[in-house]
Amino acid sequence: MANVVLSGNTSGAITIASPAVAGTNTLTLPATTGTLLTTTGDGSGLTDIAKLSTASGSAPSYSARAWVTFTGTGTVSIRASGNVSSITDNGTGDYTVNFTTAMSDADFSTLWMAQPTISNAGADTFAISPSTTDVTVRHWENNSPRDGDYCCVVVFR
Amino acid sequence: MNKRIVYTTDDGTVAVIVPAESVELALKDVPTGKEYHIVDVADIPTDRTFRDAWIWE
């Protein structure tokens, strides 16, 4: 086992240590200019994934696994999306978001917002029937299903 | 995306799939065994007043 030690211009050093197990592991640096990885303090939060470059504090950061913004009235259409193959217009105020790449399980969190079309009073949005391949979202106003105008769905896991 | 995929649901209403990138990719979102039709977006009514009463003819 051998270590590579990088000594700074002042006190302290960075040590790249090989694991105490058999086998060859390779650390490949990117060919482009830039910082591959940065950390602060004890590096907490970097155990499983790299922290987002804009994140502050030591709490771990999680990226969206799927997202979509769409128009839910008139001609229903997708404005932009990520990991979404399509949305299904099931009926008034009823849409299913279909994932391009399936989730690992159905225990994801769905954030869903819709701009009311007739009244802010009694507006309600909720998600139902999550599965690894899709989630259905609904929008109601005044105790009745209503189409949302500016609609957004984000999935975290 | 100016194409839509239309199929009749189990309760007799019409579901309209809006592809994000391509119709080919979105075809996987048609429930297994359902007969579907690929139509132009212009063929889908924009007046949704009676959306839940739509049927495929």
Side-chain angles (χ1 to χ4, degrees):
Chain A
M1 186 174 79
N3 293 342
V4 175
V5 179
L6 305 176
S7 299
N9 292 332
T10 57
S11 62
I14 296 173
T15 301
I16 301 174
S18 60
V21 295
T24 300
N25 297 307
T26 302
L27 174 63
T28 304
L29 299 176
T32 56
T33 301
T35 302
L36 175 65
L37 181 66
T38 61
T39 183
T40 57
D42 63 357
S44 59
L46 292 172
T47 302
D48 297 318
I49 60 171
K51 289 179 62 177
L52 299 178
S53 61
T54 54
S56 61
S58 59
S61 302
Y62 299 92
S63 301
R65 308 305 287 269
W67 64 273
V68 62
T69 173
F70 63 93
T71 300
T73 59
T75 300
V76 176
S77 58
I78 295 175
R79 292 189 177 93
S81 65
N83 193 32
V84 168
S85 56
S86 70
I87 58 171
T88 303
D89 164 22
N90 302 306
T92 303
D94 188 323
Y95 318 92
T96 297
V97 178
N98 303 297
F99 307 132
T100 302
T101 300
M103 301 296 155
S104 57
D105 56 40
D107 294 332
F108 50 80
S109 179
T110 302
L111 178 63
W112 150 234
M113 297 168 285
Q115 179 184 4
T117 53
I118 60 170
S119 173
N120 290 326
D124 187 20
T125 57
F126 52 97
I128 63 170
S129 305
S131 75
T132 58
T133 57
D134 59 70
V135 62
T136 293
V137 293
R138 291 178 176 168
H139 175 68
W140 284 43
E141 295 172 37
N142 291 337
N143 299 317
S144 297
R146 294 288 179 184
D147 290 330
D149 191 5
Y150 174 60
C151 301
C152 304
V153 179
V154 183
V155 170
F156 290 95
R157 179 67 176 92
Chain B
M1 180 55 60
N2 56 5
K3 295 290 184 181
R4 299 291 186 265
I5 305 169
V6 178
Y7 65 91
T8 300
T9 65
D10 291 339
D11 62 9
T13 61
V14 171
V16 181
I17 294 178
V18 182
E21 297 178 11
S22 70
V23 169
E24 291 74 19
L25 178 62
L27 284 176
K28 73 174 183 57
D29 303 325
V30 178
T32 303
K34 286 290 183 188
E35 180 182 356
Y36 64 87
H37 306 272
I38 299 172
V39 301
D40 289 329
V41 66
D43 294 330
I44 306 296
T46 57
D47 183 349
R48 296 172 58 86
T49 304
F50 299 103
R51 170 63 182 86
D52 296 334
W54 289 3
I55 58 173
W56 173 260
E57 290 183 337

